Amino acid sequence: MLSRSAFTHLSRGIARQSNKDQLLARAFAAKAGQAEVVLVGCGAPNRGMGWYHAVQMLEGRCPSASLDYIIEPWFLGGGASGPGGPEFAEWAAESTEKYGTTFGTSMGNLPNPKQPRCALISGRTADNPQLFTECIAAKCSTIILEKPGAPTVAELQKMKDEAEAAGVGVLMGYNKNVCKYVRKTREFAETVPGSHVTFVSNNAYENTPESLGECFERNAEGMLKNMAIHELALLVSFYDVTVENIESVTADKEFSSMQTLAGPSGEERTDFDKIKFTIKTKTGKEVSVAADRCGGTDSYAAVTSDDKEVFRYYMPDDEDKVKVQALTEKYPTAMPYFFTQDPDYVTVKERVSKHTVTGEEAEGVATIGVAVETLRVAEYLTPMLMEQLK
């Protein structure tokens, strides 16, 4: 029999059975034509990216995905009584009552899948390699891996090899690869010979040592492996950027800033609070990236020609801003960036879930191969840019 801590908040109708019987007797939500999705690493309501992934699926916005299980070791374990724990318990109880989703602490306690199983790993980056192995053992056909995938290139390459040996497909949560603003910018740039594209990513942290220190600690892998990794994935996917093909990288020292700050634990970390750089490749391409932790909620891409900006497209655009406003009113305390990227999160999950069931290509979604090269580029650039800013 499974321990009572393994799975919690099961439906009243089977509450008196053993935990193992409960799991086997559950009326599974996934129907024919849907992937049985397991969210691994939910995080706190209104703050965790995993939580927002769950909300989108539970609300039925990804028709090919049925969120049947949520694995959350921290808030159902050691963090249950700490910050965010009571809020998570309340949300979990509400979700179980309304949707029938089962909450647990370990992939190892899942029953066999009744429909093709897809795991969405959205935990701490440092935990991903172990969680990845557990997802393969739990008979997942496909895994969606949130950025950057693993702490190091070596670990991510090992995960890629492990998945290939097991016949498990791995796709990445690099949502900007399917963004409208990226597509429209690339299409416009192709009509202007010799033009230059700059991808700009903003977050809305307070520009204080306390806020940035907490950010540095929570995203300890560093900006290029975290916030700006989406832009690096674009460069790898669309601009032939690889470590071997980089001819030069130049930091914009006037824009960029690097700080050493203490987080809530008291430990100091050095990271970029904002960075801008231009990459030139050996094959003749040139592209720029700018990222600002305190730059606001909007991201955009711009096209310049002869040093003059000739095109700019925002995320969100005017059409999507209406949706952002509605979501902000619905979830007023949630992280603002959830809403600006909301449609793209849906697109990635729906395409991968459909792929899990039908085998149809998940168009535009980055593979783990792209992720390995992206992480290689991040590790290559970080010390180089830090040295230029000293």
Side-chain angles (χ1 to χ4, degrees):
M1 183 184 296
L2 302 178
S3 67
R4 184 163 293 277
S5 64
F7 278 85
T8 59
H9 307 299
L10 298 171
S11 62
R12 293 192 184 104
I14 53 176
R16 294 183 180 179
Q17 297 176 328
S18 72
N19 280 1
K20 183 175 181 180
D21 289 341
Q22 288 171 343
L23 289 171
L24 296 177
R26 182 177 179 270
F28 282 77
K31 302 175 178 63
Q34 287 185 307
E36 178 191 293
V37 178
V38 184
L39 175 65
V40 187
C42 183
N46 296 302
R47 290 196 64 82
M49 187 65 246
W51 170 82
Y52 196 65
H53 282 309
V55 166
Q56 290 185 321
M57 288 186 282
L58 291 175
E59 291 181 350
R61 297 184 59 201
C62 307
S64 300
S66 175
L67 180 57
D68 289 358
Y69 296 100
I70 294 177
I71 305 298
E72 177 47 60
W74 176 244
F75 286 122
L76 292 177
S81 59
E87 292 83 359
F88 182 86
E90 180 181 358
W91 175 75
E94 292 173 355
S95 299
T96 301
E97 181 72 22
K98 187 172 182 179
Y99 303 107
T101 300
T102 298
F103 288 74
T105 59
S106 172
M107 289 293 293
N109 292 315
L110 290 177
N112 289 330
K114 295 295 180 71
Q115 300 293 346
R117 179 175 285 170
C118 175
L120 196 171
I121 301 177
S122 189
R124 295 190 316 137
T125 300
D127 298 333
N128 281 1
Q130 179 60 37
L131 294 173
F132 189 85
T133 296
E134 292 174 7
C135 288
I136 291 176
K139 300 183 178 179
C140 293
S141 303
T142 309
I143 296 172
I144 304 174
L145 193 57
E146 273 290 9
K147 51 87 175 168
T152 66
V153 171
E155 288 168 294
L156 191 58
Q157 181 63 53
K158 183 179 178 181
M159 292 159 67
K160 179 177 181 289
D161 295 342
E162 182 182 2
E164 288 176 353
V168 174
V170 185
L171 294 159
M172 302 300 299
Y174 284 126
N175 59 289
K176 290 185 180 180
N177 277 44
V178 300
C179 275
K180 187 192 320 183
Y181 86 102
V182 171
R183 184 185 76 249
K184 287 186 174 292
T185 301
R186 292 177 55 229
E187 288 172 351
F188 183 88
E190 288 174 0
T191 69
V192 184
S195 61
H196 183 93
V197 173
T198 301
F199 294 105
V200 179
S201 176
N202 288 316
N203 273 346
Y205 291 93
E206 293 181 31
N207 193 5
T208 65
E210 293 77 19
S211 177
L212 287 171
E214 187 276 335
C215 173
F216 285 11
E217 181 166 298
R218 182 160 44 84
N219 303 295
E221 59 267 30
M223 181 186 267
L224 292 191
K225 286 188 178 183
N226 181 267
M227 176 182 171
I229 197 78
H230 287 281
E231 282 64 39
L232 295 184
L234 295 176
L235 271 52
V236 171
S237 299
F238 304 122
Y239 293 89
D240 298 336
V241 171
T242 65
V243 170
E244 288 75 18
N245 197 34
I246 293 175
E247 181 179 277
S248 66
V249 56
T250 305
D252 182 332
K253 296 181 181 180
E254 185 175 347
F255 176 93
S256 304
S257 171
M258 182 173 66
Q259 299 189 53
T260 300
L261 298 170
S265 69
E267 182 180 352
E268 290 189 338
R269 288 178 170 81
T270 300
D271 197 4
F272 309 108
D273 55 284
K274 56 181 181 177
I275 184 70
K276 183 177 181 181
F277 56 89
T278 297
I279 288 178
K280 293 182 180 180
T281 70
K282 295 174 183 176
T283 49
K285 294 191 177 181
E286 184 175 318
V287 63
S288 296
V289 169
D292 188 345
R293 294 282 194 190
C294 307
T297 58
D298 295 346
S299 295
Y300 64 90
V303 180
T304 55
S305 179
D306 296 327
D307 296 325
K308 294 180 180 179
E309 186 173 303
V310 294
F311 180 88
R312 179 182 290 201
Y313 204 96
Y314 278 93
M315 180 187 72
D317 60 14
D318 289 340
E319 177 186 357
D320 290 336
K321 282 180 180 178
V322 176
K323 300 174 185 176
V324 169
Q325 182 59 34
L327 289 166
T328 301
E329 292 172 0
K330 187 175 183 179
Y331 301 105
T333 61
M335 297 296 285
Y337 73 86
F338 292 166
F339 310 139
T340 58
Q341 302 181 57
D342 171 87
D344 309 307
Y345 294 141
V346 169
T347 297
V348 169
K349 290 193 290 291
E350 174 58 21
R351 289 181 183 177
V352 177
S353 296
K354 190 171 184 180
H355 162 78
T356 301
V357 176
T358 68
E360 178 182 320
E361 180 186 359
E363 182 183 356
V365 181
T367 65
I368 192 171
V370 168
V372 169
E373 188 57 43
T374 299
L375 201 53
R376 288 185 72 222
V377 171
E379 290 189 358
Y380 177 78
L381 293 180
T382 297
M384 189 177 299
L385 292 168
M386 284 187 167
E387 183 64 29
Q388 290 185 31
L389 294 184
K390 286 182 180 178

